Amino acid sequence: GIYNLISNSRLSSGHRRKTSLSQITTFREIRECLKLDQDHKECHAHYKKVKKLAKFLSTAQDRVNEGDYHGAIDKLHAAQKVESAEPKIVLKVNSRLCLANKQASESAACIETCTKVLESNSQDIEALTNRAECHILAEDYESGVVDYKEAVNINPDNRGSKEGLKRAERLLKLSKKRDYYKILGVPRNASKQQINKAYRKLARELHPDKFPDEKEKAEAEKKFIDLAAAKEVLTDDEKREQFDNGEDPLDPETEQGRNFHQHFHGFPFGGDGQQFFFKFG
């Protein structure tokens, strides 16, 4: 195989030593090998493989720079097909996939690839923090806290890890209260269009005219208030950022939250040229 030892390869003038092709990672080193023996089949094969890998990795980085994270993931998967045995290369590709999957909001794939990186190097802070963020994206806040804690234990001076841990702990605490994403049934990376669509759908389903029973009507009223709060927060960039950082801008204990609840008398919902109003009391 191309990673077997090559005996007596001369990689620099005047020196003869055994080396492994897996250690020959630059084009210059491979060319030196070919200069010594132009017909060396393993050097030729390795050169083609390294060139192909370099192309996939370079193109993947270009895709990341362009913000095309799914395109980067495709190129990294292609790189995996070229080489799936050499540990250092596998680790390098998985490290990049770990980050690319996080950037693409592919939480399940991110957790899987970051875990593979950590199986090879449990002290990899970047993999830990990336996986923590993907746990948070998947609304598994407890696992996010665990990963961030481990990252802080490895390097207590890492500011990013410390801030991430605080945010994960706030989100865990907040998740035990009111989760606006769950109220609307949308993912944490939902667009405003998705949020408004979900809001209109649920508002129609919970229209008070559909609940003649007083008890059911009272429950609908409470859900309407939660729907209004969810829309209020998730369609406002500043308030949404606060919520994503583990703070509820409409918490009744805060002034802003008290104002919302005190002045909430009714709200419109609907679409396609229709407006509905529901008034409490």
Side-chain angles (χ1 to χ4, degrees):
I2 65 171
Y3 294 117
N4 290 338
L5 290 176
I6 305 172
S7 299
N8 301 320
S9 290
R10 194 191 304 269
L11 295 182
S12 60
S13 58
H15 296 280
R16 296 175 69 86
R17 60 189 174 94
K18 290 185 178 181
T19 188
S20 167
L21 273 173
S22 64
Q23 296 173 303
I24 303 177
T25 56
T26 68
F27 293 131
R28 182 188 62 78
E29 290 171 328
I30 297 171
R31 289 189 186 109
E32 285 295 319
C33 174
L34 292 172
K35 281 181 184 178
L36 293 167
D37 185 352
Q38 294 181 358
D39 298 322
H40 201 302
K41 292 181 180 180
E42 289 194 64
C43 278
H44 274 293
H46 191 60
Y47 176 75
K48 288 180 181 179
K49 178 172 274 196
V50 171
K51 188 176 181 180
K52 200 171 185 179
L53 273 170
K55 178 65 176 176
F56 282 136
L57 293 176
S58 175
T59 305
Q61 186 59 53
D62 290 341
R63 295 288 182 273
V64 168
N65 295 341
E66 295 163 4
D68 179 11
Y69 304 121
H70 285 98
I73 291 167
D74 289 342
K75 294 300 177 183
L76 291 168
H77 283 155
Q80 284 182 319
K81 291 178 181 178
V82 173
E83 179 52 68
S84 60
E86 180 60 26
K88 288 183 180 179
I89 294 174
V90 171
L91 178 59
K92 183 175 184 177
V93 175
N94 278 331
S95 294
R96 296 192 182 189
L97 270 171
C98 168
L99 176 59
N101 279 313
K102 186 200 81 170
Q103 292 170 316
S105 297
E106 296 288 347
S107 57
C110 166
I111 292 166
E112 180 183 352
T113 49
C114 293
T115 299
K116 287 179 180 178
V117 174
L118 291 165
E119 286 170 353
S120 298
N121 179 11
S122 61
Q123 302 292 299
D124 191 320
I125 290 179
E126 184 179 359
L128 275 168
T129 55
N130 284 337
R131 189 172 70 174
E133 285 301 313
C134 290
H135 280 309
I136 289 171
L137 182 62
E139 299 179 6
D140 182 359
Y141 305 112
E142 290 185 2
S143 294
V145 168
V146 169
D147 277 350
Y148 267 125
K149 278 185 177 179
E150 182 61 26
V152 171
N153 287 337
I154 293 169
N155 183 359
D157 298 323
N158 188 299
R159 183 178 174 181
S161 297
K162 289 192 290 186
E163 290 179 352
L165 176 58
K166 288 179 182 177
R167 184 168 62 86
E169 288 175 333
R170 286 197 302 267
L171 287 168
L172 176 59
K173 183 179 178 181
L174 197 63
S175 70
K176 300 181 187 299
K177 297 181 180 179
R178 185 165 59 172
D179 188 326
Y180 296 123
Y181 291 103
K182 286 185 178 179
I183 289 170
L184 290 175
V186 296
R188 295 189 72 85
N189 59 344
S191 65
K192 283 187 182 180
Q193 183 180 6
Q194 288 174 300
I195 290 165
N196 283 319
K197 183 178 179 181
Y199 168 75
R200 288 193 296 268
K201 178 178 180 291
L202 289 169
R204 288 192 181 97
E205 289 176 1
L206 293 169
H207 194 283
D209 290 348
K210 294 185 178 182
F211 301 94
D213 181 80
E214 287 302 316
K215 184 178 179 181
E216 291 180 345
K217 194 169 194 175
E219 290 177 0
E221 289 178 0
K222 182 182 181 302
K223 289 180 179 178
F224 257 116
I225 294 175
D226 286 343
L227 282 177
K231 181 176 183 291
E232 170 84 10
V233 170
L234 299 184
T235 56
D236 182 292
D237 292 339
E238 186 177 343
K239 290 176 183 175
R240 185 175 181 177
E241 184 178 359
Q242 280 182 271
F243 185 73
D244 286 344
N245 284 324
E247 299 172 9
D248 186 350
L250 300 186
D251 189 327
E253 295 178 4
T254 67
E255 183 179 352
Q256 192 175 18
R258 284 194 296 272
N259 288 338
F260 174 83
H261 290 279
Q262 287 171 2
H263 295 99
F264 185 84
H265 299 297
F267 58 94
F269 64 95
D272 302 323
Q274 290 182 301
Q275 286 286 315
F276 301 93
F277 289 83
F278 179 69
K279 200 164 186 174
F280 299 100

